């Protein structure tokens, strides 16, 4: 299996622009998680899905963040409009028990 | 709200030493506790899972114990390739990570 696939690996954008991060989970995994990692706050859980349904989005910082999982093989995390404080590495992970992480998307908002 | 704390934040043992780290957790509903390792520039990778207090697990040079509200992880005979950040994570479905212990092995 190819593992969890995230794109893009790096994104540099200007404040105010829309950012869309993408994730393809491992086939057969019924949980999908989005995490954000910064030096100051470590790995923060933003939202997780079970069988494509959002279960807990209490970690989503504010209304500028949204996530969707239209089917079992694809999820997006969107930030609109982006701000410099959103700069971080965003990880997607899928699970049937332990979590399998993608390589992350490093976002820089100027 | 789930919380996980690590101790120490940084560890710098000499090659061949034992590295010892721990975490404490407060989660709303416990299912299991997991340890992960993250190398620079990569996503965390699962090392092992534990399911009840008193549970011990050995995997190669890793030895972990699950306590009532935390866990300890020992790495024996540390090697430079063990250098990474180690996380424990817990919670039922809503898996919460701590900030981790950064291990830097001195050759």
């Amino acid at each position: 299996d190819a593992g969890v696939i995230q794109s893009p690996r790096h994104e540099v954008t200007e404040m105010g622009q829309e950012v869309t991060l993408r994730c393809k989970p491992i086939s057969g995994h019924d949980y999908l998680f989005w995490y954000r990692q910064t030096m100051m706050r470590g790995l923060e859980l933003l939202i997780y899905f079970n069988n494509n349904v959002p279960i807990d989005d209490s970690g989503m910082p504010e209304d500028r963040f949204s996530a969707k999982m239209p089917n079992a093989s694809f999820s997006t995390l969107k930030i609109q409009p982006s701000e410099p404080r959103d700069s971080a590495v965003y990880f997607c992970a899928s699970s049937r028990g332990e979590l399998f992480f993608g390589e992350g998307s490093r976002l820089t908002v100027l | 709200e789930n919380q996980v704390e690590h101790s120490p934040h940084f560890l710098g043992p000499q090659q061949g030493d034992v590295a010892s780290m721990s975490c404490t957790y407060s989660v709303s509903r416990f299912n299991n506790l997991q340890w992960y390792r993250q190398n620079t520039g990569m996503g965390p990778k699962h090392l092992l899972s534990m399911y009840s207090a008193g549970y011990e697990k050995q995997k190669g040079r890793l030895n972990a114990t699950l306590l009532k509200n935390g866990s300890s992880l020992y790495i024996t005979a540390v090697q430079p390739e063990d250098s990474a950040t180690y996380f424990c994570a817990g919670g039922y479905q809503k898996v919460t990570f701590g900030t981790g212990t950064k291990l830097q092995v001195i050759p």
Side-chain angles (χ1 to χ4, degrees):
Chain A
D1 200 316
V4 175
I5 300 172
Q6 291 187 246
S7 64
R9 289 295 311 276
H10 301 275
E11 174 96 8
V12 180
T13 190
E14 292 188 346
M15 183 172 64
Q17 296 299 304
E18 178 179 294
V19 174
T20 299
L21 307 178
R22 298 173 177 80
C23 175
K24 177 178 168 54
I26 293 172
S27 176
H29 283 191
D30 51 359
Y31 283 89
L32 184 138
F33 301 79
W34 282 100
Y35 287 88
R36 176 172 70 176
Q37 187 173 39
T38 60
M39 289 291 293
M40 292 298 295
R41 301 174 68 89
L43 267 167
E44 300 174 273
L45 177 62
L46 301 177
I47 184 171
Y48 74 95
F49 297 81
N50 178 220
N51 292 322
N52 313 338
V53 176
I55 303 300
D56 189 325
D57 66 355
S58 58
M60 296 285 260
E62 46 198 273
D63 292 346
R64 297 184 298 107
F65 285 68
S66 62
K68 293 182 180 179
M69 191 166 185
N71 57 62
S73 59
F74 184 65
S75 178
T76 59
L77 178 68
K78 187 174 291 187
I79 308 172
Q80 165 65 17
S82 58
E83 297 183 2
R85 59 189 167 134
D86 302 330
S87 297
V89 181
Y90 291 81
F91 287 103
C92 173
S94 69
S95 169
R96 280 187 63 189
E98 74 255 30
L99 273 64
F100 289 81
F101 283 79
E103 296 302 308
S105 294
R106 180 175 293 277
L107 173 65
T108 303
V109 183
L110 303 174
Chain B
E1 184 177 328
N2 294 351
Q3 287 190 328
V4 178
E5 301 286 341
H6 282 269
S7 177
H9 293 297
F10 180 81
L11 208 46
Q14 295 273 356
Q15 182 175 354
D17 284 352
V18 174
S20 171
M21 63 191 80
S22 64
C23 70
T24 57
Y25 60 84
S26 170
V27 296
S28 58
R29 185 174 169 188
F30 181 83
N31 184 36
N32 65 73
L33 186 132
Q34 304 170 20
W35 280 95
Y36 290 78
R37 163 195 169 124
Q38 184 179 27
N39 289 90
T40 303
M42 302 183 71
K45 284 186 166 45
H46 178 261
L47 294 174
L48 47 82
S49 298
M50 295 178 290
Y51 298 91
S52 58
Y55 192 101
E56 290 189 9
K57 190 156 190 175
Q58 184 169 358
K59 183 179 178 181
R61 292 182 292 103
L62 301 177
N63 198 313
T65 301
L66 184 60
L67 309 170
K68 186 178 178 184
N69 286 307
S71 177
S72 58
L73 178 70
Y74 300 91
I75 308 174
T76 57
V78 291
Q79 303 298 312
E81 55 265 31
D82 296 326
S83 298
T85 301
Y86 292 80
F87 297 92
C88 78
Y92 176 70
Q93 294 186 355
K94 186 175 181 177
V95 182
T96 300
F97 284 74
T99 52
T101 293
K102 184 169 183 175
L103 176 69
Q104 184 73 48
V105 178
I106 303 168

